[in-house]
Amino acid sequence: MTILDVITLILLLAGSFFMLVASIGMIRLPDFYTRMHAGGKADTLGQGLIFLALIIYEGFTLISLKMLIIFAFIFIANPTATHAVAKAAYKGGLKIWSRDKNDSS
Amino acid sequence: MFSFIAVIILIGVFCVLFRAVKGPTIFDRVLSVNLIGTKAVVVIALIGFMHGRPEFMDIALTYALINFIGTIAFLKYIEKNKLD
């Protein structure tokens, strides 16, 4: 087990941890806007760490260049899509959750 | 090692799928589908590494593009009730 394997394993575990945290946040949080907070950022960081681990494991080849392209695209596109969802929900008149009204949805 | 990470991500997919089925508004469902698409890209890349087939990276890249375009198109349809 070389030093590159150790770095790959640490990055893979960190990435899967962040993706799992994003998924649990989608269940646990009370409102659409707070769920968007969980899904927009933690998921992007998780996929970035996992692709970084795969790039380090692979080395400098054409495959790792393709993975770098996927990584950069998702890193830009996923927050953009989340922003678009938030804008559509705000224009659609979705109410923001507050602690006073105890509606647990 | 890759299969273990893929199993963890699939557990996350089932958590998000619960929200996609239950979700009170349609925006919850759109966000859930976007997250499942991102996780599917990662799982496709991991499966390509597990079986030693590098052409899976092209499929993952295409899936990422289609996921983004699909989310934007669906939101435009919700906002304006038409797609042209």
Side-chain angles (χ1 to χ4, degrees):
Chain A
M1 202 169 195
T2 62
I3 187 72
L4 279 182
D5 285 347
V6 175
I7 294 173
T8 305
L9 190 57
I10 289 172
L11 282 176
L12 278 175
L13 284 176
S16 60
F17 169 74
F18 274 109
M19 293 192 100
L20 197 60
V21 163
S23 308
I24 292 171
M26 284 295 284
I27 288 183
R28 286 288 298 158
L29 290 175
D31 178 33
F32 166 70
Y33 295 103
T34 49
R35 270 174 225 143
M36 189 190 64
H37 166 79
K41 294 197 286 275
D43 211 46
T44 310
L45 181 61
Q47 67 87 20
L49 288 174
I50 288 178
F51 274 118
L52 204 62
L54 292 182
I55 287 169
I56 289 173
Y57 184 78
E58 174 73 21
F60 188 72
T61 58
L62 186 61
I63 312 295
S64 65
L65 183 65
K66 278 175 192 169
M67 279 190 292
L68 191 64
I69 291 172
I70 299 172
F71 164 65
F73 178 74
I74 296 182
F75 206 80
I76 296 170
N78 205 4
T80 310
T82 312
H83 174 76
V85 178
K87 206 174 101 181
Y90 188 72
K91 277 187 179 175
L94 195 62
K95 289 285 184 292
I96 296 177
W97 179 81
S98 69
R99 201 174 285 278
D100 305 330
K101 303 166 291 185
N102 48 2
D103 49 347
S104 64
S105 58
Chain B
M1 146 169 111
F2 292 134
S3 55
F4 178 66
I5 302 297
V7 166
I8 291 178
I9 294 171
L10 283 178
I11 292 170
V13 166
F14 278 106
C15 294
V16 181
L17 199 61
F18 172 76
R19 179 53 68 191
V21 171
K22 194 191 170 192
T25 64
I26 192 155
F27 303 109
D28 286 303
R29 298 193 169 106
V30 176
L31 189 64
S32 305
V33 168
N34 191 18
L35 256 71
I36 289 175
T38 307
K39 287 175 171 61
V41 171
V42 177
V43 170
I44 288 171
L46 283 172
I47 285 173
F49 262 79
M50 267 192 275
H51 295 282
R53 297 179 64 178
E55 62 269 15
F56 271 53
M57 289 308 146
D58 300 330
I59 303 173
L61 182 54
T62 315
Y63 203 98
L65 291 163
I66 289 174
N67 185 25
F68 178 61
I69 300 295
T71 305
I72 297 296
F74 201 81
L75 285 174
K76 192 174 173 186
Y77 183 68
I78 291 172
E79 272 192 71
K80 298 180 180 167
N81 278 325
K82 62 184 192 302
L83 271 181
D84 50 354

